[in-house]
Amino acid sequence: MSLIYNFSAGPATIPKDVIYQAQKELINWKNLGCSVMEISHRTKEFNTVAIEAEQNLRYLLNISNNYKILFCQGGARGQFSAIPMNLLGKYSKADYINSGYWSHSAFIESKKYCFSRNILIKKIKNNKISLLKYKKWDISDISDYIHYCPNETIDGLSIYEEPFFDNKIIVGDFSSFILSRSININKYGLIYAGAQKNIGPAGITIIIIRKDLLKNTLKICPSILDYNIISKYNSMFNTPPTFAWYLSGLVFKWIKKKGGIKKIEELNKKKSDLLYKTIDNSMFYINNIDQSNRSKMNVVFDLFDPKLNTKFLKEAKNFGLYALKGHSKVGGMRASIYNAMPLDGVKKLVKFMLFFEKKYG
Ligand SMILES: *Cc1c(COP(=O)(O)O)cnc(C)c1O
């Protein structure tokens, strides 16, 4: 089997070491004579997996006991509904910061439950895309929370400032951002992430919520989306996605072994710098996003001549570089370079891009 580099946006590449480990212990996990998928979530063996995963995530993101970590199902989109049903309070209003596709989708879903405001922060000036600094966000005085998305997976846009407003609850969709850099969790009321971008396989969703926000939910809230209930049952009210939980736990250990979030952050900067430098130095590739808002996880770019797109993708694939096609909403190319993408993968992509430019430029 020849190894390929997989730039898929999600489900995305998982560290090879983790895949090998899972393969090695799949058939006879912990000497139980069966796989981790085939035992009850209530066994002491699985309980150890659950506890270790939580402890390691706490360690990696420096999460105090003031916060509860929940492992659930339903993906990030499930949270688009769960958040209003759990966090709406006396105003029944929420502010939604719109920076691209996913934050906009969260806003649309929230309208089923409350009066939400769609606050556009995307600017296009001289053909350059940027996002308004958070101090300029037009937030309202009366809202129960502010929702934003620090990494727009499809648009390739990021917000690196950590927004903070007095007496406001910040909620963040960290699906493609979590564990890519260090954060100050204390600035947030709640952050959530589907696992299939930067953690592990699809099927598990992580919620980190400040304990004082575990309160009464809307009556219509399904029990499986009710943070109080999930929390009370330590994420085992219904059967959790055990295999995804186990694999996410292996990924947390892998990050620890790599040197923790600081090291991962350095590496992510190195990878994205290399790719953006290649794009900026060429007359063949373009990315028109302002430096300060360029995503380090999802690097979008166009070929100056879009007629070459099909050729680019085909030749890249032959070169061992997979899934570089941009999202249909945006077109062009997208290289998702999450934590699990090694620097060598980005170097190989750069090599290919330079070669392709020479051939057709
Ligand atoms: C992928 C993604 C989603 C959707 O996740 P699902 O798990 O498919 O619901 C939402 N927000 C962001 C930022 C994403 O990258």
Side-chain angles (χ1 to χ4, degrees), residues 215-230:
K215 49 182 186 189
N216 289 332
T217 48
L218 299 189
K219 271 214 175 64
I220 54 161
C221 184
S223 301
I224 58 156
L225 293 181
D226 185 325
Y227 298 150
N228 283 293
I229 294 178
I230 305 169

Side-chain angles (χ1 to χ4, degrees), residues 74-78 80 102 149 151 153 173 175-176 194 196-197:
R77 276 195 187 274
F80 292 176
W102 285 117
C149 178
N151 188 69
T153 321
D173 176 356
S175 294
S176 51
Q196 71 273 23
K197 313 288 166 59

